[in-house]
Amino acid sequence: MAEVIMPKMGDAMQEGTLIQWLKQDGETVVVGDVIAEIETDKSNVEIEAEDAGVLHIQAQPGAIVLVGKAIAMIGEDAPKFAAVPVA
């Protein structure tokens, strides 16, 4: 099971905003699929799946998420988690 985390896109970045999911919760993804779009203080960035499996979304669009925190899980039996704490 793999975590999809809010990436750090610059030295000063401490949080990012999840703009939208491009794949649906429960959808199977493969490595390289663009699964989400985030907003940083400087630009919008697409996030690609780094693992293959079933996407289990944890953060909803509009959520402000700290760098390094999980926004989703990818795996066959990934557990459902409570919403990600916002910054």
Side-chain angles (χ1 to χ4, degrees):
M1 188 170 347
E3 289 184 324
V4 178
I5 63 167
M6 177 62 71
K8 184 169 186 152
M9 305 304 295
D11 290 336
M13 184 176 168
Q14 295 182 3
E15 63 189 24
T17 302
L18 177 61
I19 297 173
Q20 66 178 334
W21 287 103
L22 302 173
K23 298 288 185 178
Q24 300 297 315
D25 188 57
E27 189 172 345
T28 299
V29 298
V30 297
V31 175
D33 277 355
V34 178
I35 58 173
E37 184 179 7
I38 62 166
E39 179 181 22
T40 70
D41 56 344
K42 296 184 181 185
S43 65
N44 291 358
V45 180
E46 293 178 335
I47 296 179
E48 294 183 359
E50 295 182 1
D51 292 280
V54 178
L55 179 67
H56 295 276
I57 293 172
Q58 297 179 28
Q60 296 304 312
I64 298 170
V65 182
L66 296 173
V67 168
K69 296 293 183 184
I71 58 173
M73 300 290 286
I74 297 176
E76 292 308 313
D77 297 317
K80 295 287 184 179
F81 290 93
V84 174
V86 294

